[in-house]
Amino acid sequence: MTRLLVDCTYVYDHPNDNSGIQRVVRNVIRELPTINQECECIPVVMLQGKLYEVKSLAPLPTKGLDLVGLRAGLEQFANLLWLRQRTLERRRPFNQSVWARRLLYVGCRLFALGCLSIPIRVLDRLLKRQQVPPRSVPLEHRAGDQLVLLDSSWHSGFFPLAEKLKREGVGIISVVYDLIPLTHPQFCDAGLVKVFNHWFDWIARTADGYIAISTTIRDQLREEMVRRIGEQQVRERWFDYFHLGSELDLVDATSAIDSKLLRVFTQPEPVFLMVSTIEPRKNHAYLLDAFERAWAAGSKARLCIVGKIGWKCEDLIERIRRHPQLNSRLFMFNNLSDHSLEHAYQHATALVFPSYVEGFGLPLVEAMQRGLPAMGSDIEVFREIGGEFMAYFNLEDPQSLADLVTGMENSGVFPASRPLDQWQWLSWRQASAQLVERIERHIDEVILDRETACE
């Protein structure tokens, strides 16, 4: 029986993160045990040069203070502190004096060290000593196992362990979400571009097969591999894809929906929803430009932005916070629960998603699966996901989105070629099954080719 060792190291170490890749990992891992009796699927983590089987991806309940939650809260506060520092240094007197900027930086640095960095280190030590039931146990690998790099492995230091496993007969399969740090580095942090490029060189040399999250990324991946290692070596690897599911797995129906969000949907005017981390690639500035044009033309539509604050977005956040329509026709929520997000999906008029580039576009299927129509930028991967059931706008012209918004507002008709009630998509169980089935098929083909070559 084939054993798939499915890596979830980052999510295991950061259980409170809830962005796109973390959603994928949690949901795929949750569905793995029930999808295939012919293949044993084992969630694993690679920690300190060793392999462990995961028993619980989420932290186990403990008595007393929630140290994991406290540590996550401190990390989030640290991110907000440095966002505020970068915003302030653009204002007077800091933008007029290098000494004022240095004083601001030193002050923030000292505060972060004393109130954030040191407490986080103390919490890390306490968590290591905390007596709780083990979330993972040591796992012995076997020749013929397949290590599936499902998680965001470019931040990990497990290359030596993975190479050791490969030398001892374990196959390496890399899940690829996108190539954005390579193809669009201007949207990424410089450090990520460097780390991602190093990781890609490693998987290009080390992995036996690659499975992307869309046909668009699969084809881009193969082209990039040809550029890096040549057509001959690429022909020795396999390439495939699987599509992502759509359910929100952290919905707690007993929790309260954000009261400010509830008020957004109490008025009769249409609400257009944007769900994404706030960072340059997601193109929120274009979104504001389009809605400002619609508002200037008399539209009463409202724009609701949902997503945590990311990177390179200081000017955008400042623009939103100073916008004359804020809390009137423009709303922003940076820390909604899945229950509140579910409410937004169910009560909005349409989703708007103006990204420059994506590997998939998870909010599209989350919205459309709930009957919420979606308007997206006219890029290849969105055409792959939405087909004729979505409406598309031109990223070169914000007026094209403004026209879609006002047209739907005036007519009440969503401007897609086909009705959304004819659209169907995968559940997370089906997505996980698709991932495992396609990996199994390629493994069987590789084994058959080897047997044929030996005859």
Side-chain angles (χ1 to χ4, degrees):
M1 177 183 289
T2 302
R3 295 202 313 176
L4 300 186
L5 312 181
V6 187
D7 172 57
C8 52
T9 303
Y10 182 87
V11 171
Y12 181 89
D13 282 340
H14 302 80
N16 292 295
D17 285 6
N18 196 28
S19 295
I21 294 179
Q22 290 83 52
R23 284 188 185 278
V24 175
V25 173
R26 278 200 322 270
N27 283 287
V28 169
I29 293 295
R30 187 187 71 245
E31 298 296 346
L32 282 176
T34 60
I35 59 177
N36 194 325
Q37 300 300 321
E38 300 299 322
C39 175
E40 185 179 7
C41 301
I42 305 173
V44 300
V45 292
M46 292 176 279
L47 303 172
Q48 299 176 340
K50 297 180 181 179
L51 193 64
Y52 295 84
E53 178 180 354
V54 173
K55 297 299 184 182
S56 174
L57 198 52
L60 296 170
T62 60
K63 295 180 180 179
L65 188 64
D66 179 10
L67 299 182
V68 173
L70 180 58
R71 187 189 186 284
L74 289 174
E75 283 191 332
Q76 185 179 32
F77 186 82
N79 291 335
L80 292 175
L81 171 70
W82 290 111
L83 175 67
R84 188 62 177 164
Q85 179 265 331
R86 291 191 293 272
T87 300
L88 285 174
E89 70 180 6
R90 289 173 166 80
R91 297 183 184 174
R92 307 170 77 182
F94 305 107
N95 63 352
Q96 297 178 328
S97 169
V98 65
W99 291 107
R101 287 196 297 276
R102 287 179 181 175
L103 182 63
L104 174 66
Y105 175 80
V106 170
C108 290
R109 189 76 174 173
L110 290 174
F111 178 84
L113 178 64
C115 299
L116 299 172
S117 298
I118 293 176
I120 286 173
R121 291 173 188 171
V122 171
L123 286 172
D124 285 338
R125 292 180 182 178
L126 290 175
L127 285 168
K128 289 180 180 179
R129 297 175 185 173
Q130 196 176 44
Q131 296 299 313
V132 296
R135 294 170 61 204
S136 60
V137 295
L139 177 69
E140 291 296 328
H141 63 278
R142 307 171 189 165
D145 286 347
Q146 303 292 320
L147 178 62
V148 182
L149 301 177
L150 176 68
D151 214 336
S152 50
S153 54
W154 46 89
H155 290 296
S156 303
F158 66 82
F159 292 171
L161 173 59
E163 290 168 0
K164 175 178 179 294
L165 296 176
K166 187 174 177 66
R167 289 194 297 271
E168 296 175 1
V170 175
I172 306 291
I173 298 165
S174 180
V175 176
V176 179
Y177 292 89
D178 61 62
L179 301 180
I180 293 167
L182 305 180
T183 59
H184 297 77
Q186 69 273 24
F187 295 137
C188 304
D189 178 79
L192 172 61
V193 173
K194 182 177 180 180
V195 167
F196 192 93
N197 192 64
H198 176 64
W199 167 81
F200 192 88
D201 278 341
W202 184 82
I203 66 162
R205 290 182 286 103
T206 310
D208 304 293
Y210 308 84
I211 188 156
I213 60 172
S214 62
T215 60
T216 303
I217 299 304
R218 179 201 61 190
D219 296 342
Q220 290 179 5
L221 170 64
R222 195 183 188 284
E223 291 173 3
E224 180 65 23
M225 289 280 290
V226 169
R227 282 193 290 270
R228 297 217 178 196
I229 63 175
E231 183 67 42
Q232 177 59 40
Q233 289 196 50
V234 166
R235 282 200 293 267
E236 297 173 2
R237 322 299 173 75
W238 59 263
F239 298 82
D240 213 326
Y241 76 97
F242 78 112
H243 278 153
L244 308 183
S246 57
E247 304 96 316
L248 297 176
D249 63 309
L250 297 183
V251 173
D252 178 4
T254 64
S255 65
I257 297 173
D258 188 287
S259 59
K260 293 182 179 179
L261 180 74
L262 284 172
R263 288 195 291 272
V264 172
F265 295 99
T266 57
Q267 303 300 316
E269 292 80 16
V271 178
F272 291 82
L273 182 67
M274 167 67 172
V275 179
S276 175
T277 299
I278 300 175
E279 44 108 342
R281 174 170 61 90
K282 303 297 185 176
N283 208 9
H284 289 77
Y286 172 98
L287 195 61
L288 286 177
D289 291 344
F291 272 82
E292 285 171 355
R293 293 188 181 201
W295 292 328
S299 170
K300 298 188 182 302
R302 287 168 294 162
L303 173 61
C304 181
I305 295 172
V306 174
K308 70 177 183 179
I309 296 174
W311 52 93
K312 294 186 177 181
C313 61
E314 295 85 0
D315 291 341
L316 175 70
I317 296 299
E318 187 73 2
R319 178 181 174 185
I320 293 173
R321 287 175 174 165
R322 291 175 172 268
H323 202 284
Q325 295 291 348
L326 185 64
N327 297 323
S328 175
R329 292 180 185 165
L330 173 63
F331 305 87
M332 181 172 67
F333 298 90
N334 302 125
N335 195 29
L336 283 188
S337 68
D338 272 11
H339 191 199
S340 294
L341 178 58
E342 184 78 51
H343 182 85
Y345 277 139
Q346 291 176 352
H347 291 84
T349 304
L351 182 82
V352 283
F353 206 19
S355 285
Y356 284 109
V357 58
E358 289 286 341
F360 184 78
L362 193 54
L364 293 177
V365 296
E366 290 177 347
M368 294 170 71
Q369 192 74 348
R370 288 157 179 78
L372 179 64
M375 301 175 175
S377 43
D378 194 1
I379 59 177
E380 184 177 357
V381 72
F382 286 0
R383 292 280 184 177
E384 175 183 342
I385 303 304
E388 296 179 322
F389 300 96
M390 278 178 56
Y392 302 93
F393 48 82
N394 182 0
L395 286 182
E396 299 296 324
D397 181 16
Q399 188 63 46
S400 67
L401 174 55
D403 290 342
L404 288 179
V405 169
T406 56
M408 185 177 182
E409 182 182 8
N410 294 330
S411 69
V413 177
F414 185 71
S417 300
R418 296 181 62 186
L420 187 55
D421 57 11
Q422 297 179 7
W423 186 82
Q424 292 184 333
W425 200 254
L426 306 178
S427 67
W428 277 115
R429 174 165 295 188
Q430 292 168 325
S432 298
Q434 189 180 80
L435 170 66
V436 172
E437 182 274 327
R438 292 182 180 184
I439 290 175
E440 278 191 287
R441 174 161 48 83
H442 285 285
I443 293 171
D444 290 344
E445 289 174 355
V446 169
I447 293 173
L448 180 62
D449 288 345
R450 287 174 181 170
E451 291 174 349
T452 303
C454 291
E455 292 177 356

